[in-house]
Amino acid sequence: MTASAEVPGRPERPTGSEGPQAAEGGRKPRRRMNYGEGREALLNAAVRVVARGGLRKLTYRAVAQEAGTTHGLVVHHFGSRDALIEEALAHAIRTSLSTSALEPGTGKVADFSVGVSDMVIADPDIQAFQYELLLEARRRPELLPQIRALYDDYFDATRRELSRMLPEDAGQPLTRLIFAALDGLVLHQLVFGEPGTTDAAIEELRGLLRLLSADGHEAPENDS
């Protein structure tokens, strides 16, 4: 770190994460963003605010502080709190599905849901945000269509991968059962930690899928 020149009688301007604003209550310094960068940063900030404090903590000022930018920029991008909520949810859907381990596409049981515990470790906020919004949809029905769309995408991805592994197309009940097990494990890891427990449980789930698989090299050798 190099020292910057100071102008007599004028406070040094903060740079990066340092400076007076960063020192006051952990507040992040404001910075100028271009349009694309600003929108993405604000959506990520909204996800973190909701994940850590619940939807009741989601305000323009909270998002601006988390992103290290101005209150006015949040208003400029989203216009209303409801629009911010809806766009943050859509952003979470895109992000979560792009990193999902539900559909490796190989049709091999051994590949199913590999990396789920690592996904939770890497970005717990995006997972917690979805559970917060899932519960909030019980109180705010206008959120339900997007939540349903999110879970329908999860169900579809799960069903497609199961159908690659199993002798017949996986039906809705089996799909819901398998996904509910994974969803519960993610929630438990968010609350309790213990990624090793998640990995062990998913391996048990793969064992059950091997029993259903018609692929000889996937099935146990003594399976008749």
Side-chain angles (χ1 to χ4, degrees):
M1 180 181 295
T2 59
S4 59
E6 297 184 11
V7 178
R10 181 180 301 171
E12 184 180 358
R13 189 172 186 177
T15 59
S17 61
E18 301 174 342
Q21 282 186 305
E24 295 176 7
R27 185 180 305 166
K28 297 182 180 181
R30 293 174 179 176
R31 62 191 180 92
R32 185 179 298 276
M33 302 175 180
N34 62 42
Y35 184 85
E37 177 197 9
R39 192 175 194 82
E40 186 82 3
L42 292 173
L43 290 171
N44 287 329
V47 166
R48 293 193 297 271
V49 168
V50 173
R52 298 168 189 175
L55 197 61
R56 68 187 183 280
K57 295 292 187 181
L58 186 68
T59 65
Y60 289 150
R61 295 193 185 281
V63 172
Q65 182 175 328
E66 178 65 31
T69 188
T70 64
H71 166 270
L73 188 63
V74 186
V75 177
H76 168 73
H77 276 295
F78 304 105
S80 72
R81 184 173 179 271
D82 286 343
L84 175 59
I85 292 170
E86 290 178 6
E87 294 205 38
L89 179 55
H91 172 69
I93 291 170
R94 292 190 301 270
T95 304
S96 185
L97 287 175
S98 69
T99 60
S100 176
L102 291 172
E103 192 179 10
T106 65
K108 295 181 179 180
V109 174
D111 295 337
F112 184 65
S113 294
V114 169
V116 166
S117 63
D118 291 336
M119 178 185 70
V120 179
I121 292 170
D123 196 351
D125 287 344
I126 200 76
Q127 308 302 325
F129 174 85
Q130 290 176 61
Y131 289 118
E132 289 284 348
L133 269 291
L134 185 65
L135 292 173
E136 186 65 22
R138 296 183 67 247
R139 297 180 287 270
R140 298 183 55 179
E142 66 271 19
L143 295 176
L144 193 57
Q146 286 202 72
I147 292 292
R148 187 179 295 279
L150 169 64
Y151 273 77
D152 282 345
D153 283 341
Y154 286 150
F155 296 147
D156 289 345
T158 303
R159 184 169 185 168
R160 287 192 299 268
E161 194 62 26
L162 289 175
S163 295
R164 293 184 183 101
M165 293 185 286
L166 303 180
E168 298 179 1
D169 181 55
Q172 185 184 61
L174 178 60
T175 298
R176 294 292 181 97
L177 176 64
I178 297 298
F179 180 78
L182 295 171
D183 204 28
L185 290 170
V186 169
L187 178 59
H188 288 181
Q189 185 176 331
L190 280 172
V191 176
F192 303 116
E194 303 175 351
T197 300
T198 301
D199 292 337
I202 291 177
E203 185 53 42
E204 288 292 325
L205 180 61
R206 292 191 194 103
L208 296 175
L209 290 173
R210 288 185 180 97
L211 294 176
L212 297 175
S213 174
D215 190 341
H217 72 272
E218 293 285 359
E221 290 182 0
N222 60 352
D223 183 34
S224 58

